[in-house]
Amino acid sequence: MKKITLILSLFLFKISFSQSKLENLGSTINSTNSEIRPTLSADGKILYFVVEQSKSKKGKKKSINKQEVWFSSMNDDGTWAQAKKCSEPINRSKSHNAVFWSSTDGSQILIRGSYSNGKYIGRGFSFCKKTENGWSQPESLKIKGYNTLSVDEYDGAFLTNDGKTLLLYLSQEKNSWLNDLYVSQQQNENEWSFPQKIISDSISIDDYDEIAPYMAADGVTMYFSSDRPGGYGGYDIWMTKKLDDTWLHWTTPVNVGDSVNSDNWEAYFTLDAKAEYGYLATSRNSIGEIDICKIKLSENQKPKAVALLQGKVYNADNNQLISNVEITTEIEGSNNLIPLKIENEIFKTILPYGNKYIITAKGEGFELFTQTVDLSKLAPYQEMHNDIFLQPVKKVVPDSSITDSLNAIQNSMVEVLDSNVIDSKIKEEKKNKSQKSGKQKKEQDISAKSKSNSEKIKGKSQNEKSDVIENQVSIPTDEKGNSQKSKSKNNNLEGKNKNQKADSDKSAKSKSNSEKLKEKNRKEKVQGVDTEISILNDEKGNSQKSESENNNSEGKNRKQKNETDKSDSPKAIDINQAIKEDVEKGDIITVNNILFDFAKSSLKKTSYKELNKVVKLMKQNVAVKIELSAHTDNVGSAKYNLTLSKARAKSSRKYLISKGISSKRISSKGHGERKPIASNKTAKGRKQNRRVEIKVISSN
């Protein structure tokens, strides 16, 4: 009774959708063999699929001899080029090969089989990464308990857009064709949790087969194939919605309808980038046993729309491409960072509508870049081109005026120190001079006293003829010869003494001259320093006076210049002021808060208020003709900025015309980044440079 109730409930969710024609992809993809498991790149331009060779009958369970992966690229006209067989390491197994998933940027694929160092080690799944020389050797995903859980011949997987959740199908019974759906979460870089069976709301049910889960880019809608009751016969495509982040709770599956499904075999559903077409493998109207076809979907069959964001990373100073950059995206406030990779100089990511996203980029030697992308409002699929410009880290250079002031202070300190040293030396020399002068005076006093005593003794000896004097005088009178000899000797001694005295006088005189010269030099030096300090003080005073005079002169000149500019230049006023007064030819009117959609020229609704002020101005002054000028900052290439500014100026002009202003009264011009009014080195300056101005070209 329980099984009957379940079958009846499933029939209630068989919905009839609008009919569209199923299109076979043709002979460039399909052959007399079976082509199954289509896997599309995020932009829908690369198609991987499996060519299966078997001996079974059409649409039945079959004995498979070999499965190989092929690929094709989309032509400019939307058709597919002739498919080519993938080489190793994608086609490595001798029997079963498959590509289950391709990353948004195309740099990674998920393939069948578990590999280590390029060697097949058993059941499971592996990543291959794109390199300059092709695909890297596959490396296994370490899924806890997978080898003991999945024991039947068939299994498969799909990786979600953020690369963090694996949707699996497998069987826990050998020789069973009945698979169920499981979920495994990434725990570390290459480690995954033990798979949990999804049993919510009849996702996996007993006695029926659920295979080939595909998660749409919106992160909510899942498609899978099943032979459960409620279908059109054989295997059908079913759709369900995720209810929470546990990945275990889902809405009751809905059959996508008879435009996709039939009484034949349909499986391996996937979507193109816009979710406009669904791709699947079906045995309906096939060239071989099973072919890959596509069908245009109705709104009820589609997931929520997404945006494909892509761009390049540049050095903001020289517009050179940068590749060694870490880029992440996250839903605002979620702290769930999703890394983006640069492939062929381009990064790509898919962003579902309904959220605001934070884009972050960082590279060595560059400032951190962050940007908010607002996709909170639902909209159709769009491809957004958003280049990132990183500002190099600037070395801090002190302000020249500060440097000059520091140097002046340092020089003044040196001068003060030198002055103190000189003053100290002067004091020391004065002290030495004083001591020397005192010593010389003392010596002179002693010499004078000695001379006085000598004269007294001489006078006394002459009068009293003391014994000492007699003895000294009697020597030359004893014998004449001896007296002469002694006299000669004395004369020689006297001459010698006289010479010594002369030398001593000469030395003293020389010493005195030297000291006088030294003293003179010292005085000159001190005098020079005193003069230098005096001049410094004078210059400081004069400098202040001169600076004051210069400031007065400069202020006077500036005033004169401003008066001249005022008389010769047009007025620069904002739109609110312009409405209140008369405008004249040449006046520049600034209009604030004219905003545009992200990286586009389409006006945001918040801009209408400001532009309506321009409409009011034009209606008040019916003779006025204007030129709308759009300006940008220097983020982006000059060519891109010029093109964007022209488009934005035209968009503003178009709005004014729609409000009844004659097109003959409005011209538009884009200047790009060529006329900045502030520095582009700061966020504030760049914001000022992103502006729309109105120039009055005629007021009569």
Side-chain angles (χ1 to χ4, degrees), residues 283-555:
S283 59
R284 186 175 14 156
N285 301 324
S286 59
I287 298 172
E289 290 189 54
I290 299 173
D291 284 355
I292 297 174
C293 300
K294 72 174 184 177
I295 186 168
K296 191 169 185 178
L297 301 177
S298 66
E299 290 302 315
N300 290 332
Q301 294 168 316
K302 294 179 181 179
K304 290 195 301 182
V306 298
L308 176 63
L309 180 71
Q310 57 186 330
K312 298 181 179 182
V313 184
Y314 293 92
N315 182 323
D317 276 1
N318 56 25
N319 287 337
Q320 295 293 317
L321 284 169
I322 308 171
S323 57
N324 189 22
V325 179
E326 294 180 18
I327 309 175
T328 59
T329 181
E330 63 173 314
I331 296 175
E332 188 177 54
S334 70
N335 293 321
N336 181 24
L337 297 177
I338 301 173
L340 308 182
K341 294 185 178 180
I342 297 177
E343 179 67 26
N344 295 326
E345 301 178 345
I346 299 174
F347 67 88
K348 292 181 182 179
T349 185
I350 290 178
L351 304 175
Y353 284 100
N355 301 295
K356 289 184 179 180
Y357 296 89
I358 307 297
I359 308 296
T360 303
K362 60 181 179 179
E364 187 176 353
F366 294 91
E367 295 179 5
L368 180 67
F369 172 92
T370 58
Q371 184 180 44
T372 301
V373 178
D374 189 355
L375 297 177
S376 54
K377 295 182 180 179
L378 296 180
Y381 170 84
Q382 63 172 316
E383 294 184 3
M384 304 167 62
H385 189 86
N386 179 43
D387 291 334
I388 293 174
F389 291 83
L390 298 184
Q391 292 286 348
V393 175
K394 304 292 186 183
K395 292 183 179 180
V396 179
V397 179
D399 188 280
S400 59
S401 61
I402 297 175
T403 306
D404 292 344
S405 298
L406 290 173
N407 290 337
I409 293 170
Q410 185 177 12
N411 292 335
S412 298
M413 290 176 68
V414 171
E415 289 167 354
V416 170
L417 289 172
D418 287 346
S419 177
N420 290 337
V421 170
I422 292 168
D423 288 344
S424 176
K425 286 185 176 181
I426 291 171
K427 289 178 181 179
E428 185 178 352
E429 289 182 5
K430 283 183 178 180
K431 183 179 179 182
N432 292 338
K433 182 181 178 183
S434 177
Q435 290 175 349
K436 186 174 181 181
S437 177
K439 186 177 179 181
Q440 287 175 344
K441 185 177 181 182
K442 186 176 181 181
E443 288 175 351
Q444 288 173 356
D445 291 343
I446 292 171
S447 176
K449 188 175 181 180
S450 176
K451 184 177 181 182
S452 176
N453 290 336
S454 177
E455 287 175 351
K456 286 180 181 179
I457 291 169
K458 185 176 179 182
K460 187 177 180 180
S461 63
Q462 287 176 350
N463 294 327
E464 297 178 357
K465 297 183 183 291
S466 68
D467 292 340
V468 176
I469 299 299
E470 284 178 353
N471 289 334
Q472 289 178 349
V473 175
S474 64
I475 294 172
T477 58
D478 276 351
E479 295 181 8
K480 191 174 183 179
N482 292 336
S483 176
Q484 289 175 350
K485 184 177 180 181
S486 177
K487 187 176 182 180
S488 174
K489 188 176 180 180
N490 288 337
N491 288 336
N492 291 336
L493 181 61
E494 186 179 351
K496 185 177 181 182
N497 290 338
K498 194 178 288 183
N499 291 335
Q500 289 177 345
K501 185 179 180 182
D503 291 341
S504 177
D505 291 342
K506 186 177 181 182
S507 174
K509 187 175 182 180
S510 174
K511 183 177 181 181
S512 176
N513 290 336
S514 176
E515 288 176 353
K516 287 180 180 179
L517 182 61
K518 185 176 180 181
E519 179 68 12
K520 182 181 180 183
N521 290 337
R522 184 184 66 79
K523 287 183 177 180
E524 288 177 352
K525 183 177 181 183
V526 172
Q527 207 169 15
V529 172
D530 290 341
T531 305
E532 182 180 346
I533 294 172
S534 176
I535 291 171
L536 177 66
N537 292 332
D538 289 343
E539 284 179 347
K540 187 175 181 181
N542 291 336
S543 175
Q544 291 174 348
K545 183 177 180 182
S546 175
E547 186 179 351
S548 174
E549 290 173 355
N550 289 338
N551 287 338
N552 291 335
S553 175
E554 185 179 347

